[in-house]
Amino acid sequence: MHNVICIKQVPDSAQIRVHPVTNTIMRQGVPTIINPYDLFALEAALELRDKFGGEITVLTMGPPSAEDSLRKALTFGADRAVLLTDRCFAGADTLATTYALATAIRKIGKEYGPPDLIFTGKQTIDGDTAQVGPGVAKRLGVLQLTYVAKIRALNLTARTIETERRSEGGVQVLRTRLPCLITMLEATNQIRRGAMADALRAARAPIVKWSAQEAGVEDISKCGLRGSPTVVKRVFAPSARAEKAVLVEAAEQPAQALIDAIFKHQPKLETDLAALASDS
C-alpha cells in the first residue's frame, strides 16, 4: 500500500502581522510550521500503515526552507519526503498549485509506485480556501472524499474504502473505490509523538528535491504567478471597534434582560421592529 500526503509549510498564524502602510502580510521573522490540518491527514495515513503495511510519501511545494517541515513529517514516521521547489512556482494560487502537485504525484507514482490514497488537510490556515485537495483530485482523475472525520474500513482486496464525512445535516457514511483523495478534518485523531529512531533517521534522511522540469511539468505557464488567475488585492487587519461590549447582569429572566439592554443601546431598533409588525 502506498499513501501520499500533501503538506504545506505555513507561517504561524498566532504571530502574523499586517504592515500598516502596505496592508500586506509581514512574513519576516515569523516562524513556520506544518499546516495543523495536514498533521491529522498524516496521522490517518500512519494508522493505515500500522494496520496494512506499505509506505508513506510526504510531498510539499515551497522554497528550500520547506525542507524543515518535511523532516518534521519524517520524525512522525513517514518513509520518504519530496520537495517540489523552483522559482517558477512562486506566487502560485490554488489553480497553479494543484497543477504542480498533481504533476509531482504522477512522477511519485512512476518512481515509487502508484498511490492508493492521497491525503490532505481540509484546508490551510494561511489561505483557508479548501480548494487544493479537490483540485488535485480533479487533475488526477480520482474520486475525492472531503471533510472526512473517520476511516471506518479499508479493503485492499476489493479496493474499497468506507469513511464518515461530516456535513451540516449530520454524518454521512460513504464508500468508494481506490485510488481516491481524502481531506481530513481537525481533531479526528491523536497525533502521535515520533519515535527516537524516526527522529534520528529524519535528521540524516535525504530529501528528494525536484525542479519543475524534474517533476515533469510540461507547461511552465501554468505554474506560479503566470498560471494564477487569482489576485489578492489587499490584506488588512480589521480595525478595533470603538464601542465596548456591555455586560448584562444576571436576572431572573435573562432573555428579557438581554432584550431590554439591546433596546436601551439601540432605541431605533425597537421603533423599526414595531413598524415591521404593524405592516405585517
Side-chain angles (χ1 to χ4, degrees), residues 73-245:
L74 291 174
T75 66
F76 289 111
D79 296 288
R80 71 176 62 85
V82 177
L83 173 59
L84 194 59
T85 183
D86 198 307
R87 287 186 179 274
C88 72
F89 296 141
D93 67 357
T94 54
L95 186 68
T97 297
T98 58
Y99 174 73
L101 290 177
T103 302
I105 291 172
R106 292 190 187 97
K107 175 73 177 289
I108 288 173
K110 294 177 181 178
E111 294 283 335
Y112 308 110
D116 299 286
L117 290 168
I118 303 165
F119 284 90
T120 71
K122 72 167 186 177
Q123 63 195 67
T124 58
I125 62 174
D126 58 347
D128 281 330
T129 64
Q131 294 173 351
V132 170
V136 170
K138 176 64 176 179
R139 290 188 182 277
L140 292 176
V142 299
L143 298 170
Q144 57 179 287
L145 298 173
T146 57
Y147 299 100
V148 170
K150 180 180 179 181
I151 297 176
R152 292 166 59 108
L154 177 65
N155 189 326
L156 292 176
T157 303
R159 303 286 293 168
T160 60
I161 186 170
E162 184 177 296
T163 64
E164 291 182 5
R165 180 184 187 272
R166 289 185 196 166
S167 64
E168 293 182 359
V171 177
Q172 300 172 338
V173 177
L174 302 175
R175 181 186 296 113
T176 190
R177 63 182 183 274
L178 303 180
C180 73
L181 183 143
I182 292 175
T183 71
M184 292 296 298
L185 284 175
E186 72 280 7
T188 52
N189 48 43
Q190 184 67 38
I191 301 172
R192 67 188 65 191
R193 296 184 63 181
M196 180 62 70
D198 288 325
L200 295 174
R201 177 178 60 86
R204 57 179 182 270
I207 303 296
V208 179
K209 298 178 182 179
W210 289 338
S211 64
Q213 183 179 5
E214 291 168 335
V217 173
E218 297 179 353
D219 190 351
I220 297 297
S221 66
K222 294 182 179 180
C223 297
L225 199 58
R226 286 185 294 175
S228 302
T230 305
V231 177
V232 179
K233 183 178 180 181
R234 188 164 65 102
V235 178
F236 63 94
S239 57
R241 295 180 60 177
E243 185 179 357
K244 296 184 179 180

Side-chain angles (χ1 to χ4, degrees), residues 263 268-280:
F263 286 158
K268 189 174 181 297
L269 179 62
E270 185 174 12
T271 304
D272 294 341
L273 290 176
L276 288 173
S278 61
D279 291 342
S280 61

